[in-house]
Amino acid sequence: MDVMKKVPVREQDPKVRATNFKEVCYGYNEEEAVAEAERCLGCKNARCVEGCPVKIDIPTFIKAVKEKDYVSAANTIAKSSALPAVCGRVCPQESQCEGKCVRGIKGEAISIGKLERFVADWSRENGFVPKAAEEKLGKKVAVIGSGPAGLTCAGDLAKMGYDVTIFEALHEPGGVLTYGIPEFRLPKQAVVQPEIENVRKLGVQIETNVIIGKSVTIDELMDEEGFSAVFIGSGAGLPKFMGIPGENANGVFSANEYLTRSNLMKAFRDDYDTPIATSKKVVVVGGGNVAMDAARTALRLGAEVHIVYRRSEAELPARAEEVHHAKEEGIIFDLLTNPTEILVDEKGWVKGVDVVKMELGEPDASGRRRPVEIPGSNYVIDCDTVIMSLGTSPNPLISSTTEGLETNRHKCIVAEEENGQTSREGVFAGGDAVTGAATVILAMEAGKAGARGIHEYLSNK
């Protein structure tokens, strides 16, 4: 075995997987995981840990895998992460832990994510349960939202001994893990639900179908229901649009709606009655992970799919792995291209998109080169469905019903990064509700910060 190269990971054949919703990547078996773990240098000052937003003790858990002591590996990960099977699948490890790996300087970085996934899957298959608190503190904390920020905050607080209740607006918990990320990247029954169940086993209660700001307000939770502190981890579910003509036509979706119908409401299954567009040709506007998810879902539902993105491939914000998988499956990339109008037939349905070619000009405030239209380069892409994947912002319902809760111009809640404290005493926040749409692992980092902040606040009260 060449120690400079990763143990390759097995995947479904692209032609086969483009027609089903089964998981694309098979992960490591025991033999492969141990071989990959043996490549780890076990650095004393491990830079990989610096790169992990939730600070998992990576060398210790990998050493345990090397020694086939999977219980120790699982316990090490559980100290820092409530969602290892999720993170092992959807974290952008290449820009975090693996991006800092010393082995990666001269060779290929250790597959830390695939090893975390192996340990998490072993834990689930062998009934490993993280340790609950031995004694209760007798204080109630409310967590709003059961996505990665909320689950992480709730899990950490429960381990400290707090009585935690999560309030979830939808009928199933999991937030973006359940409704946003497709089945072929993150299986719901096999992976997401058992991880949520582990949080419940720590003593956390989850109440679904509760819309904070409508069913009950934050003030009522604190003044009438006896909650000593509240963590807002409600995510960013409000889609953005371009504001171009034709965006209100039938057959135009936000990526959020399209993925929610498919994932949470099982519209991709023949035995469910949830309607979803059965499209012949789909244009997805955007270049992030959500755009890849929407495009690959539409492909599996039988459409020819084009991704229209105004910058070049080098600027695509999606993970390299997602772009690679999308290309393998046959998705067409129309890069340096931007929609100017959605064309509509006499019955009000999408019939095409007028697009214009772009070129890259000088860098903008984000440091990326700004796309500029090439005059007279317009052309039409015929299609019957358009999916807008341009990012999301927080729903203003919570901030508008909570007096004294400061928000910024993007309607995001203002909170301190190190502890999640908001402008309201006893109210903390983190994740996409604070930052706008970001990654699962950054939401988890914010959930951990919120739990620390709440513990400090209630300890000093």
Side-chain angles (χ1 to χ4, degrees), residues 228-277:
S228 306
V230 174
F231 177 79
I232 304 168
S234 50
L238 196 66
K240 294 177 182 172
F241 287 90
M242 290 183 74
I244 57 174
E247 255 181 333
N248 293 330
N250 297 321
V252 179
F253 291 83
S254 70
N256 220 16
E257 180 191 354
Y258 193 82
L259 289 168
T260 301
R261 282 175 182 269
S262 175
N263 298 332
L264 178 68
M265 302 165 81
K266 316 281 195 300
F268 67 88
R269 279 174 48 176
D270 294 336
D271 54 338
Y272 274 71
D273 293 332
T274 315
I276 198 163

Side-chain angles (χ1 to χ4, degrees), residues 7 28-39 65-68 70 115 118:
V7 173
Y28 284 151
N29 61 26
E30 183 177 24
E31 187 186 344
E32 291 163 339
V34 172
E36 182 62 22
E38 283 172 348
R39 296 180 58 234
V65 172
K66 205 185 291 187
E67 294 164 357
K68 300 189 181 180
Y70 306 126
L115 290 174
F118 168 77

Side-chain angles (χ1 to χ4, degrees), residues 59-102:
T60 300
F61 104 72
I62 291 181
K63 182 172 182 280
V65 172
K66 205 185 291 187
E67 294 164 357
K68 300 189 181 180
D69 183 356
Y70 306 126
V71 173
S72 293
N75 276 319
T76 299
I77 295 172
K79 284 176 192 164
S80 305
S81 174
L83 305 169
V86 169
C87 289
R89 285 167 165 83
V90 303
C91 263
Q93 289 99 0
E94 65 279 358
S95 61
Q96 294 174 344
C97 53
E98 293 178 20
K100 300 264 188 185
C101 175
V102 171

